Amino acid sequence: MDSTAATSLASLWDEVFGSQPDPDLWVVIATMVAALAVIVPHGVWRVSRNAITIAHEGGHGLVALLTGRSLSGIRLHSDTSGLTVSRGKPTGPGMILTAAAGYTAPPLLGLGGAALLAVGHITALLWLATALLVAMLVMIRNAYGALTVILTGGTFLVVSWLTGPQVQAAFAYAVVWFLLLGGVRPAFELQAKRSHGSAGDSDADQLSRLTHVPAGLWLFLFHAVSLCSLLGGGRWLLEV
């Protein structure tokens, strides 16, 4: 490797894994408000929830692989529902962890993103998110799901490559706020559906059948993870 290539590689390494300056507090607050604007209104949420579904199903898929299961495929639907199919033992810790990973994935990803932003790794967060989306794309098994992941990953790629530090910072903070705040709403939606006798095959109900623990306790876990992630991650984001 000649000196020019080595210098370029070192420069790329520093750009991706080095730290970037924190944005102004007003930017952090503005991105929080922007995230709330696409989460709270029901009509907008019907569209933006697709991004939470990507994280939800990606959580199922990632934990399935980490626990030794074989991932058959992931499907994302236009009604913001999704399905992740894995093969392996139908009971036991691997299946339990896989089932529990869906509702907990978006807030935990937000918490991890907040931890990276707290130490200034803005570019690293954007590149990591892009890599995860590319890996997920390989396992998508329907056209709508592929289109959704491609558009999302393409947005991250464009911001990572073609925008300046200030735009990257604002985008990264908006994404993390969205995961933290948007990760709270699905558990409440599930609770509302279960109170009306629907969603009988939800993740909480599947976990209940797997563990003989009441579905309500699993729902409480989903609430606890999302709310604690929001409190912890929000504190990190606001300490600029």
Side-chain angles (χ1 to χ4, degrees), residues 37-68:
V38 297
I39 293 168
V40 175
H42 181 70
V44 182
W45 174 244
R46 291 179 61 186
V47 177
S48 63
R49 197 183 192 280
N50 282 283
I52 295 295
T53 303
I54 291 175
H56 180 115
E57 299 303 331
H60 282 313
L62 178 60
V63 174
L65 292 174
L66 292 176
T67 56

Side-chain angles (χ1 to χ4, degrees), residues 130 153-163 168:
T130 304
T155 302
F156 275 90
L157 190 61
V158 168
V159 172
S160 301
W161 278 98
L162 301 180
T163 65
Q168 290 185 11

Side-chain angles (χ1 to χ4, degrees), residues 96-117:
I96 294 170
L97 290 172
T98 298
Y103 279 92
T104 56
L108 289 177
L109 286 171
L111 184 63
L116 285 174
L117 294 181

